[in-house]
Amino acid sequence: YVFRIQRFCVHDGPGIRSTVFLSGCPLRCAWCHNPEGWEVRKEDCLYDVDTVMQTVLRDKAFYRQSGGGMTLSGGEPSAQPAFSLSLLRAARAAGIACAMESAGTGDASFYHAAMEIGCLFLYDIKHMDPAGHRKLTGCDNANILDMARFLSDSGKAMWIRHVLVPGITDDEEQLTSLRKFIDTLKTVERVEILPYHTLGVFKWKELGIPYQLEGVEPPTEEQV
């Protein structure tokens, strides 16, 4: 189940990319800008691999020129593990570089298979404190941190991503803890600070979900 395929993305990995947004996610992040991807809905499309690849292959020339490719996002790709892996294999067979945005909520076998296919991991770390993480996402972060260590120990490249929410994820103690954790990882190529934004708030309202961060403003350039 896919709720969007977005072409010409430039913020989901290197180069120009096509991002496939897969339905299903165990997290309920307070700032999520894709709440429509939490569950499979009747509006979502049931795709097979060939149908997705027809869209992805349209821009193969742009991937080649820019160093781009296909990115799996969501939702959370590990929520549909068999389809995600089949899609990654099809893209690699077509000579397309792959990336996957994930918060590490799946099991190790899924990530091991994705590593064997050859995948850059865009790895989201929401909050370092277990209680803070649970409050913001509804889930503990132990598996998420363990999976980051697993990817590092396996020698697989990753970009760490952290959403900066003023008054929530930007305190010095939390950020220092994040930096210390990243320093223990051996394969981090890049760290991206993603400024919190309110572009997805209208989706919460359309879905009838109370927005938890009402009144929180995006960070300033100086804060970022």
Side-chain angles (χ1 to χ4, degrees), residues 18-206:
S18 289
T19 302
V20 181
F21 292 89
L22 294 153
S23 304
C25 184
L27 302 181
R28 295 293 180 267
C29 298
W31 55 79
C32 183
H33 61 277
N34 287 327
E36 73 274 29
W38 287 351
E39 306 285 353
V40 174
R41 307 170 305 139
K42 63 181 180 181
E43 294 89 348
D44 297 341
C45 295
L46 182 60
Y47 282 87
D48 59 24
V49 170
D50 289 342
T51 305
V52 174
M53 289 304 299
Q54 286 175 14
T55 299
V56 171
L57 287 169
R58 293 179 193 173
D59 300 314
K60 190 173 181 180
F62 295 103
Y63 310 147
R64 184 171 58 250
Q65 293 171 11
S66 68
M70 180 187 74
T71 298
L72 299 190
S73 187
E76 166 60 58
S78 66
Q80 296 190 59
F83 182 73
S84 294
L85 294 174
S86 295
L87 194 50
L88 290 172
R89 292 188 183 102
R92 293 297 293 155
I96 295 173
C98 296
M100 179 166 61
E101 183 178 9
S102 176
T105 57
D107 59 46
S109 61
F110 170 74
Y111 294 98
H112 181 73
M115 286 188 290
E116 289 189 331
I117 295 168
C119 186
L120 170 66
F121 293 91
L122 312 179
Y123 203 83
D124 295 324
I125 298 181
K126 318 289 185 178
H127 202 284
M128 287 300 297
D129 177 64
H133 194 279
R134 197 175 298 110
K135 180 179 179 181
L136 292 170
T137 71
C139 296
D140 188 77
N141 65 350
N143 186 71
I144 292 169
L145 300 181
D146 285 345
M147 204 59 64
R149 297 185 187 100
F150 173 70
L151 293 174
S152 172
D153 292 343
S154 300
K156 298 304 176 182
M158 64 178 118
W159 293 8
I160 298 294
R161 292 177 141 194
H162 179 69
V163 178
L164 194 73
V165 187
I168 298 176
T169 67
D170 66 341
D171 65 277
E172 187 172 341
E173 182 179 355
Q174 199 276 143
L175 291 173
T176 300
S177 177
L178 175 61
R179 172 57 191 265
K180 288 180 178 178
F181 177 73
I182 292 172
D183 283 344
T184 69
L185 305 176
K186 297 171 286 191
T187 58
V188 176
E189 295 183 343
R190 179 171 177 163
V191 177
E192 293 188 326
I193 298 298
L194 307 180
Y196 163 76
H197 61 74
T198 58
L199 299 177
V201 173
F202 76 95
K203 299 179 182 179
W204 290 66
K205 295 178 180 178
E206 288 182 353

